[in-house]
Amino acid sequence: MQSIWIEKSVPLEGKVVVSSAKNAVLPIMAATLLTGETCTIHKMPRLSDVQAMVEVLNHLGSQTHMKYDTLTARCEGLVTEEAPYEAMRRLRASVLVMGPLLARFGKARLPLPGGCNIGVRPVDLHLKGFRALGAEITLGNGYVTATAPRLTGARIYLDFPSVGATENLLMAACLAKGTTILENAAKEPEIMDLGEMLMAMGAKIKGLGSDFLIIEGARQLSGVEYTPIPDRVEAGTFMVGAAMTGGNVLLQNVRCAHLRPVLAKLREAGATITEYPKSLRIKGSPKIHSVDIKSLPYPGFPTDMQPQMMALCCLGDGTSVITETVFENRFLHVGELKRMGADILIDDRSAVVKGVSQLQGTKVEAPDLRAGAALILAGLAAKGVTQIMGLEHIDRGYDRLEEKLRSLGASIERRDA
């Protein structure tokens, strides 16, 4: 078992290249199942979630090859319609293979997915949509099975703008007979990225970027060569690190339009941010101002940045109120931050954070992916040494995080615990 050790950091300075977005790459990988031709995906991040998805694709019958940061995948036919239990248990996004399997092969059998323990995140919206498209769904013994000779276009209203359900139904609709309309669809940049790839494969989609999608089904899709968008959450995490340490960091491979809520809150907290076409520079302030945050579906403040911003608010000059509306269990990091000296009170779906002058390094454990990032950021600003356990969560979503932080001057290393 390994852990990350961090000493209080000097101000982070330098430049870092942001990797491709985990939340864009995973559905893009699933979409390669929609065609029998070769798909080539460039700039793949080195993540355990990516490796788990490769295992899922290979198990199903896809032939994959990774060379440097380029993945090629070709699925001419299925070996099995049943996804592997172990990979599915580790990777919640693996449920995204259901739409492509059902649309192209007419059948799919999946164990109910795992992933971070940050909330219920049920697949009922996915299944409701598949039923509307004509699939027969059965649940039993921890598995969900879907069958349909061929899906048929339908009008589907999502009760909540679920990112995963939008992605799964968007992929399924691309090979359904007729027209599918998705109402109250999620609008995250990662969905737009998936849609751009699908259209490059020959799909006909209107309304990308809105909550009203129209998809004209095709008989088949072609192979594609594609590069996913940069990871806005990774970018945001480095930005918070610069703000917490009073640093000066240039982030390259960034789309500022995807970061508007995070940029606004960091400026409100006192950071100076200069935007460029494909990069940005952030300079921290000696004084961190407290800010109020409410997580919302895109284009609101992203729930995946809420724990990191809470770490920042722990050092604010007043009281911050952070409200979580997306996942009901996304305050699992609070107890660990309090072990480091943070003053936080939970009130239902809100956290009241009173800024303290100093955090104290200690041994903590990451309960989920973004909580792990928040604890690393807190460790950079904490007096003494911080040891962080639970690295399996962090490795799911951050590409060479310690290496990138060291390049900015951080004293951080991975050791055998």
Side-chain angles (χ1 to χ4, degrees):
M1 182 180 295
Q2 292 186 318
S3 60
I4 287 177
W5 293 70
I6 309 171
E7 295 181 12
K8 181 176 173 60
S9 179
V10 297
L12 297 182
E13 291 192 1
K15 64 181 179 181
V16 64
V17 179
V18 176
S19 300
S20 295
K22 173 183 90 84
N23 291 335
V25 166
L26 297 177
I28 281 172
M29 293 175 71
T32 64
L33 295 170
L34 287 167
T35 178
E37 299 181 12
T38 299
C39 296
T40 303
I41 314 300
H42 298 290
K43 294 188 177 180
M44 295 288 292
R46 304 175 200 176
L47 308 173
S48 61
D49 269 11
V50 167
Q51 182 55 44
M53 184 62 90
V54 167
E55 293 174 21
V56 172
L57 295 180
N58 289 339
H59 179 89
L60 294 170
S62 184
Q63 295 178 322
T64 65
H65 177 68
M66 184 78 79
K67 185 175 182 180
Y68 303 114
D69 62 351
T70 296
L71 173 73
T72 57
R74 184 183 182 98
C75 184
E76 297 183 33
L78 280 185
V79 172
T80 175
E81 72 274 11
E82 184 172 313
Y85 172 77
E86 278 302 318
M88 294 288 291
R89 183 183 63 83
R90 302 196 311 270
L91 178 63
R92 179 169 290 271
S94 51
V95 74
L96 295 174
V97 302
M98 193 171 202
L101 289 179
L102 188 57
R104 184 170 167 216
F105 299 105
K107 53 188 176 182
R109 176 175 164 81
L110 279 70
L112 294 174
C116 276
N117 184 30
I118 57 173
V120 177
R121 297 200 288 185
V123 296
D124 59 332
L125 292 179
H126 303 239
L127 304 184
K128 178 182 176 182
F130 291 142
R131 285 193 181 98
L133 293 171
E136 181 178 334
I137 308 291
T138 57
L139 294 168
N141 301 319
Y143 281 78
V144 54
T145 303
T147 57
R150 189 184 180 192
L151 298 177
T152 303
R155 192 178 191 111
I156 302 169
Y157 177 84
L158 295 177
D159 296 329
F160 177 82
S162 161
V163 172
T166 299
E167 291 168 338
N168 229 341
L169 297 174
L170 175 61
M171 289 187 284
C174 287
L175 292 180
K177 181 181 180 180
T179 302
T180 298
I181 296 174
L182 288 181
E183 295 185 81
N184 198 31
K187 299 180 288 187
E188 271 71 5
E190 294 79 12
I191 294 172
M192 293 183 63
D193 203 35
L194 173 63
E196 294 286 350
M197 176 187 168
L198 292 170
M199 289 194 294
M201 297 171 70
K204 298 179 180 178
I205 305 169
K206 295 180 180 179
L208 279 179
S210 76
D211 61 359
F212 192 88
L213 301 178
I214 303 173
I215 306 102
E216 298 288 344
R219 263 294 177 185
Q220 63 182 25
L221 298 179
S222 63
V224 70
E225 190 166 348
Y226 198 77
T227 301
I229 59 174
D231 196 319
R232 59 194 172 109
V233 181
E234 181 186 323
T237 300
F238 281 107
M239 290 168 67
V240 173
M244 289 183 71
T245 62
N248 182 349
V249 175
L250 176 67
L251 290 174
Q252 298 177 315
N253 191 36
V254 171
R255 296 195 184 182
C256 295
H258 296 169
L259 286 161
R260 289 290 165 226
V262 179
L263 297 177
K265 288 300 175 181
L266 284 171
R267 286 183 171 119
E268 190 178 332
T272 301
I273 301 170
T274 306
E275 301 179 27
Y276 305 103
K278 294 183 180 180
S279 63
L280 66 82
R281 181 176 295 279
I282 177 167
K283 297 180 181 179
S285 169
K287 183 177 183 180
I288 297 173
H289 302 301
S290 296
V291 296
D292 293 338
I293 295 168
K294 183 177 183 180
S295 70
L296 291 165
Y298 190 85
F301 191 90
T303 181
D304 279 356
M305 279 301 303
Q306 176 260 107
Q308 299 92 310
M309 286 297 294
M310 184 181 291
L312 176 73
C313 291
C314 288
L315 297 175
D317 60 358
T319 299
S320 303
V321 178
I322 300 176
T323 303
E324 174 61 49
T325 72
V326 180
F327 294 128
E328 68 276 11
N329 289 345
R330 195 135 222 183
F331 286 149
L332 298 178
H333 49 286
V334 168
E336 301 301 288
L337 287 173
K338 291 174 71 172
R339 283 174 46 78
M340 299 179 71
D343 185 349
I344 307 171
L345 176 66
I346 300 296
D347 182 10
D348 193 24
R349 300 292 287 266
S350 294
V352 180
V353 185
K354 294 182 180 179
V356 297
S357 60
Q358 181 71 67
L359 295 173
Q360 178 66 50
T362 187
K363 184 176 182 178
V364 292
E365 182 163 2
D368 60 68
L369 169 56
R370 306 307 175 186
L375 295 175
I376 287 176
L377 295 175
L380 292 174
K383 181 180 179 181
V385 177
T386 301
Q387 180 186 6
I388 301 174
M389 309 293 291
L391 304 194
E392 68 277 7
H393 296 296
I394 297 168
D395 291 341
R396 290 183 50 237
Y398 286 96
D399 180 5
R400 295 165 291 160
L401 181 58
E402 304 106 276
E403 177 184 328
K404 292 180 179 181
L405 284 171
R406 278 196 299 271
S407 75
L408 299 175
S411 177
I412 178 172
E413 63 178 346
R414 186 174 295 224
R415 304 177 187 171
D416 291 330

